[in-house]
Amino acid sequence: MTRTTVMGACPHDCPDTCSLITTVEDGKAIAVRGNPDHPFTRGRLCVKVNNYQDRVYSDQRLLYPMRRTGPKGSGQFERIGWDEAIAEIAARFKDVIAQDGPQAILPYSYLGTQGILNGLNVGDPLFNKLGATVCERTFCDSGSCTAYMMTIGHTPGVDPESFVHARYIILWACNTLSTNSHHWPFIEQAKKNGAKLVVIDPVRTRTARLADWHIPIRPGTDGALALAMAHILIKEGQLDRDYIAQHTVGFDELAERVAQYTPEFAAGETGIPVEDILKLTREYASTPPAVIRIGVAVERHAGGGQTVRAISCLPALIGAWKHVGGGLLQLPIWAFPVNWPGLMRPDLQPASMRVINSWRLGPALNGELPSGPPIRALFVYNANPMAMVCEQDRIAQGLAREDLFTVVSEHFMTDTARYADIVLPATTQLEQEDIMFSWGHLYLSYNNQAIAPLGEAIPNTELFRRLAKALGIDDPFFQRSDAQMIAESMDWSSPVMQGITLDELKARGYMRLAMPAAADWAPHREGNFPTPSGKCEFKSSLADGGNFVAPLFRQGYGADQSGEPVDPLPHYIRPNETPATAPVLAERYPLSLISPKSHAFLNSNFGNLPAQQMQAGEEQLVLLHPEDAGRRGIEAGTPIRVFNDRGAFEAKATLSADVMPGLVVAPSGYWHRSSRGTGNVHAITPTVFADLGRAPTFSDTLVQVAAL
């Protein structure tokens, strides 16, 4: 018997990027546990991955290439060989290009794995080389990133570990215990040190229950609260005028703008009493160091971008950035010197490319495009759009087209894979090599391959090597080994990589970026914001260029941005769909819906696995306030239908006073089979974009609920 341990890293789209240790016995992984030596993740794994070996060895795994034999959507396939599969894909791609041009091919991907090699950008060079349509991937944080860059630039912000030094912590639209759980010990330590924890969320989440103060807020009205806080700070003079003078621009214009956003106005919008708005603002200003952690949910409504702009202004107004543990935390990913151009290769793109946003897949597949050829080939990897994208009926209609050639690379027969012509088996994290950034801490991680791939599964890197070769692309770049790709994935000469070697990284599994210690780091004590002015821009200079999506979200393609005019000053945009903003619609659909992340699923990952289903509930759950349920004759456990003009899905009712009256909460990530085959929550979410970064607005939705 041979037993070894292998250092790795969790692959999922989560801020924690946990360090893993896999125990391998005679070539089989027998246990996956957290690495107790990692300073941030500290040896604990969440419910999503604490039995990761069961995912790897699941009897549902796809292990061989498959070709469809039955009707699209039937899930009927036969096994074929890799050579046959790749040859067929290459032949069909060549045929599509010959007949309709390369823009008739649409790649579709996101972060089914977050690895730098196998994740978001692994297919970009090939599809850029072909000149295929660009998939604009604004699933998450795109609007937030646009707004953040407009205000304080691409800064990593506060070190998550510095939260232990904070005295006032606001978690804004962030359910830390479910979606960023390894940050919780640092927050908990701050509480033990005397810090006050405030959670702003429409739902009394797991995190909110442990807060000193939970502030319920109507969905989509966060911008009104943030602007009212700025109003109070300025009116009452609770400002760091020296910091404002030295390290900000546009204060006078901001002061004039926020004069209209009184506490009374914000109370009417948010449902938060005036006295609570005043108390929150005064405590925030008078309890340094004060820090705000924003969650991704804050962008998911009509005014999400301007909401992030408004929140991003608050720390500079009170000089919170001067203190260790003070300021704002969005995405520490900005600290990592990833060689994004080398990963995406935008230099391979033709002069002009067509862009299709990932949220508009349904219209794209049904020929409802403003220009360009119809989509005749779809290549899906690291994504499950049938479960995670709106307009599910239209997506299914498009995927059912006989003239559409669809390829899906997957671990399991997902709702999307069932419609594929060719299904390809992908490796799990234990079966592949990768290097990992984090969007929740400052440690670079290395994932060593722990076991040989099961069946004939291959990593995404190998998939695109084989496909490039079959397409006759002889550029050596497309045949680089994984080791070469890792060596070229980072700017190893960057100051933050000082002292980090690839050999040591592989051996330890993680290394902290060479940045100041969490006990010493106040990144913007002296300003130095990565904005055009070098200052916090209350009035944004980047707004002159109009609305944009960061090139990282669009295969490195910077041209053909939407460019809608953007107000350079933060302002409040009311939600599209609420009883107050859409009273006629609300007569039929009086309840507001939000679809937060599930505690046990990661997007749609794990939605088919028994342990996670047991935790989340095998059937789609919907939370209702008892008052709303009682008016509809709904009891706990009642089968219900949730619907609006866009569609419907079925679920099981859970009654909870943790949900505000008038609110429906449907956690996302469930597969169609968990909602009686009727689709899931995204069957009824809107396609309308938020104000910045073409972010989705699926927390801006009116619905009705009825017992079945």
Side-chain angles (χ1 to χ4, degrees):
M1 179 186 300
T2 302
R3 177 175 289 193
T4 58
T5 57
V6 182
M7 309 304 298
C10 179
H12 290 296
D13 180 18
C14 165
D16 292 14
T17 315
C18 292
S19 181
L20 307 178
I21 299 176
T22 301
T23 301
V24 180
E25 189 173 284
D26 294 336
K28 181 176 181 179
I30 61 171
V32 179
R33 68 186 192 278
N35 183 352
D37 296 331
H38 194 285
F40 189 83
T41 62
R42 301 181 175 183
R44 185 182 59 81
L45 299 180
C46 72
V47 67
K48 303 171 183 70
V49 295
N50 61 11
N51 65 334
Y52 191 77
Q53 69 275 11
D54 293 345
R55 178 181 181 87
V56 175
Y57 293 108
S58 169
D59 59 9
Q60 299 180 45
R61 272 286 301 276
L62 293 170
L63 298 178
Y64 303 95
M66 311 277 279
R67 178 192 288 121
R68 178 174 61 87
T69 58
K72 292 194 173 189
S74 67
Q76 298 174 32
F77 292 87
E78 64 179 0
R79 178 179 170 180
I80 59 175
W82 265 107
D83 289 346
E84 187 176 359
I86 290 293
E88 183 168 342
I89 296 167
R92 294 292 294 269
F93 275 19
K94 290 176 180 178
D95 179 66
V96 167
I97 292 170
Q99 292 189 38
D100 292 291
Q103 291 184 352
I105 299 172
L106 176 64
Y108 198 97
S109 66
Y110 197 59
L111 284 171
T113 176
Q114 195 172 268
I116 294 175
L117 260 65
N118 289 289
L120 184 68
N121 307 108
V122 61
D124 290 356
L126 176 63
F127 291 111
N128 284 339
K129 176 74 171 178
L130 293 177
T133 289
V134 171
C135 181
E136 187 176 60
R137 300 167 290 211
T138 59
F139 282 98
C140 180
D141 260 324
S142 173
S144 177
C145 288
T146 298
Y148 190 79
M149 292 168 68
M150 283 182 170
T151 314
I152 57 177
H154 53 281
T155 168
V158 178
D159 184 337
E161 296 179 57
S162 294
F163 273 57
V164 298
H165 303 289
R167 299 286 292 176
Y168 202 82
I169 300 173
I170 300 176
L171 301 179
W172 203 319
C174 184
N175 182 8
T176 302
L177 283 171
S178 289
T179 61
N180 189 190
S181 63
H182 293 83
H183 193 207
W184 181 254
F186 299 91
I187 295 170
E188 193 171 43
Q189 183 61 52
K191 288 187 65 181
K192 291 177 181 178
N193 295 343
K196 183 169 184 176
L197 175 63
V198 181
V199 171
I200 302 172
D201 199 296
V203 182
R204 189 169 178 262
T205 62
R206 295 168 186 262
T207 306
R209 292 182 202 129
L210 297 179
D212 298 295
W213 186 15
H214 169 222
I215 303 177
I217 186 170
R218 291 176 185 143
T221 64
D222 307 79
L225 175 59
L227 290 162
M229 291 176 70
H231 170 100
I232 296 164
L233 292 172
I234 294 171
K235 182 178 180 181
E236 297 186 351
Q238 299 188 79
L239 303 167
D240 187 323
R241 295 192 180 277
D242 182 63
Y243 192 89
I244 291 169
Q246 292 189 55
H247 305 306
T248 74
V249 294
F251 173 76
D252 291 341
E253 293 94 331
L254 178 69
E256 182 179 357
R257 170 61 58 83
V258 302
Q260 63 187 294
Y261 296 114
T262 64
E264 291 75 17
F265 169 82
E269 292 293 307
T270 64
I272 302 170
V274 169
E275 55 269 25
D276 285 351
I277 297 173
L278 290 167
K279 177 184 175 183
L280 171 68
T281 307
R282 291 165 180 166
E283 288 183 349
Y284 172 68
S286 61
T287 319
V291 65
I292 300 172
R293 168 55 151 149
I294 57 172
V296 297
V298 79
E299 73 168 7
R300 292 172 175 169
H301 54 85
Q306 289 296 344
T307 295
V308 174
R309 286 221 63 222
I311 294 172
S312 299
C313 292
L314 296 176
L317 287 173
I318 65 170
W321 290 111
K322 295 194 306 186
H323 308 286
V324 174
L328 178 67
L329 174 61
Q330 184 227 23
L331 297 175
I333 186 177
W334 304 109
F336 292 84
V338 180
N339 179 15
W340 296 115
L343 292 172
M344 296 183 289
R345 292 298 304 273
D347 58 297
L348 297 174
Q349 296 168 347
S352 179
M353 300 182 75
R354 178 172 66 175
V355 178
I356 293 177
N357 188 273
S358 53
W359 288 104
R360 305 314 309 276
L361 181 62
L365 295 181
N366 286 285
E368 301 168 23
L369 299 172
S371 62
I375 300 300
R376 290 192 48 219
L378 177 70
F379 196 101
V380 181
Y381 62 99
N382 291 345
N384 183 12
M386 272 297 294
M388 295 305 297
V389 178
C390 49
E391 299 183 297
Q392 291 176 356
D393 288 346
R394 299 176 77 190
I395 293 174
Q397 180 182 349
L399 290 173
R401 284 172 36 207
E402 285 299 329
D403 65 333
L404 175 71
F405 177 65
T406 301
V407 181
V408 175
S409 174
E410 256 298 352
H411 294 154
F412 300 102
M413 188 60 70
T414 63
D415 294 327
T416 306
R418 294 175 67 85
Y419 284 87
D421 295 286
I422 300 288
V423 176
L424 303 173
T427 48
T428 65
Q429 189 77 332
L430 301 193
E431 303 160 276
Q432 63 193 20
E433 205 90 353
D434 218 324
I435 188 169
M436 315 284 295
F437 58 76
S438 171
W439 55 275
H441 58 66
L442 296 173
Y443 295 84
L444 185 65
S445 301
Y446 193 95
N447 184 75
N448 291 277
Q449 181 180 338
I451 60 173
L454 274 61
E456 295 180 3
I458 63 172
N460 289 336
T461 51
E462 177 62 17
L463 167 60
F464 286 105
R465 277 192 287 266
R466 295 184 186 186
L467 189 55
K469 184 176 181 180
L471 288 167
I473 299 173
D474 58 4
D475 185 336
F477 174 86
F478 291 94
Q479 297 305 320
R480 295 173 304 155
S481 67
D482 285 2
Q484 288 175 290
M485 295 174 73
I486 288 171
E488 297 171 11
S489 66
M490 308 290 295
D491 177 6
W492 298 91
S493 66
S494 168
V496 300
M497 298 294 282
Q498 184 177 359
I500 298 177
T501 66
L502 188 53
D503 287 343
E504 187 175 1
L505 182 64
K506 291 179 67 172
R508 292 182 55 188
Y510 68 91
M511 295 185 76
R512 181 180 164 92
L513 297 178
M515 302 175 76
D520 304 320
W521 194 34
H524 301 300
R525 178 180 283 128
E526 303 297 332
N528 301 315
F529 292 94
T531 59
S533 65
K535 300 181 179 184
C536 172
E537 297 195 353
F538 298 140
K539 183 177 181 181
S540 173
S541 59
L542 290 180
D544 291 344
N547 192 13
F548 66 91
V549 173
L552 173 61
F553 297 107
R554 50 200 333 253
Q555 299 174 205
Y557 189 56
D560 299 319
Q561 296 276 5
S562 57
E564 301 99 344
V566 173
D567 189 330
L569 290 165
H571 60 282
Y572 177 53
I573 300 172
R574 303 181 82 192
N576 293 322
E577 294 188 17
T578 68
T581 59
V584 175
L585 186 66
E587 290 179 5
R588 289 180 292 151
Y589 308 116
L591 301 174
S592 293
L593 171 81
I594 61 174
S595 50
K597 303 281 189 179
S598 167
H599 183 74
F601 304 151
L602 202 297
N603 300 324
S604 68
N605 278 297
F606 304 100
N608 64 317
L609 296 181
Q612 286 75 20
Q613 287 180 331
M614 184 178 299
Q615 173 76 25
E618 293 186 10
E619 191 170 354
Q620 170 83 58
L621 297 179
V622 167
L623 279 69
L624 298 167
H625 191 277
E627 292 178 6
D628 295 321
R631 294 191 189 101
R632 293 162 175 80
I634 295 170
E635 299 179 351
T638 298
I640 59 173
R641 181 172 180 262
V642 186
F643 59 97
N644 58 21
D645 286 343
R646 289 180 285 268
F649 68 96
E650 295 179 7
K652 184 167 67 174
T654 298
L655 309 189
S656 175
D658 290 339
V659 177
M660 298 173 69
L663 182 65
V664 177
V665 180
S668 65
Y670 284 93
W671 293 19
H672 289 198
R673 68 191 70 167
S674 300
S675 49
R676 305 174 182 227
T678 61
N680 61 26
V681 63
H682 292 302
I684 62 175
T685 52
T687 61
V688 179
F689 295 127
D691 56 327
L692 293 178
R694 306 188 82 182
T697 56
F698 48 70
S699 291
D700 194 343
T701 306
L702 283 174
V703 302
Q704 181 59 287
V705 178
L708 288 173

